[in-house]
Amino acid sequence: MRLFATQTSPYARKVRMVLMEKGIACDMEWVDLRASDHPALAHNPLGKVPVLLRNDGEPIYDSAVIVQFLEQFRPDPAIIPHDPEGRLRALRSEALSGGIMDATVAWVQEQRRSKDCQDQALLLRLRGKVVAGLTTLQQESAGWTHGRDLPVLPLQQIAAVAATAYVDLRAPDFLVQFPDLVAWLHSLHDRPSVAQTEPQ
């Protein structure tokens, strides 16, 4: 299999962490999304990453769908609970982290516009979404079995690492009011799936 990704995409990082936690070998192909002919376009008409290319040539996107495929491809070790309620909570938490990523990406894109073209009301709304998401994520993380004590990191924690670390990378001041979440993230720094997927 081959994964098309960028070094800083939190969505790709989530998939890369899942691959490592489940011990699935996968070739990496880094793409430059600014290029008009980057290779991911041949497999995803939207040109977004990550894209997972299966061995039979079938492409899979986006990150949440790739995670579901990988869980089916290699069920053991499981990163998603099998019981319906546990599965629902895991997928809901993944969606929460995904929403934090979405809002942060949109905030970054708006910030990159020239100052006189930025929509300040939009920036405030996006910041509000990120902060609201992080508030819930910090509350959820307080009840998790710490990742350093687990043989495999569950999906909730994988997605939370990707989301929180991306906020830390792009808008670190958003995290000032979440010291417990930041401490949790830093405590996982030495876990291989976390350390080896940090943006370069």
Side-chain angles (χ1 to χ4, degrees), residues 14 17-18 21-22 63-95 150 152-159:
K14 178 178 69 173
M17 289 179 66
V18 170
E21 290 289 339
K22 296 180 80 67
S63 64
V65 180
I66 295 172
V67 168
Q68 293 291 324
F69 166 74
L70 294 174
E71 185 76 339
Q72 295 173 358
F73 178 80
R74 184 162 296 172
D76 187 30
I79 60 168
I80 303 173
H82 295 299
D83 67 283
E85 285 301 313
R87 179 180 177 83
L88 176 63
R89 285 190 294 270
L91 296 180
R92 182 183 64 192
S93 187
E94 181 193 18
L150 296 171
V152 62
L153 206 59
L155 178 59
Q156 298 100 308
Q157 297 195 37
I158 290 172

Side-chain angles (χ1 to χ4, degrees), residues 30-57:
W30 304 115
V31 301
D32 181 357
L33 295 179
R34 295 168 297 183
S36 60
D37 59 348
H38 66 77
L41 280 166
H43 307 291
N44 179 353
L46 300 176
K48 298 170 67 175
V49 295
V51 179
L52 182 70
L53 195 63
R54 297 191 323 195
N55 291 332
D56 63 3

Side-chain angles (χ1 to χ4, degrees), residues 84-151:
E85 285 301 313
R87 179 180 177 83
L88 176 63
R89 285 190 294 270
L91 296 180
R92 182 183 64 192
S93 187
E94 181 193 18
L96 174 66
S97 290
I100 293 169
M101 297 178 204
D102 293 344
T104 305
V105 168
W107 183 88
V108 169
Q109 291 173 339
E110 187 64 23
Q111 280 280 336
R112 287 176 174 167
R113 301 176 67 189
S114 62
K115 282 287 186 182
D116 57 335
C117 293
Q118 289 178 12
D119 184 335
Q120 296 302 318
L122 175 61
L123 288 170
L124 284 173
R125 287 197 302 274
L126 291 169
R127 181 181 182 126
K129 288 183 179 185
V130 175
V131 169
L134 291 171
T135 299
T136 300
L137 198 59
Q138 181 167 261
Q139 293 168 351
E140 287 188 4
S141 68
W144 292 341
T145 300
H146 202 289
R148 65 170 172 257
D149 302 321
L150 296 171

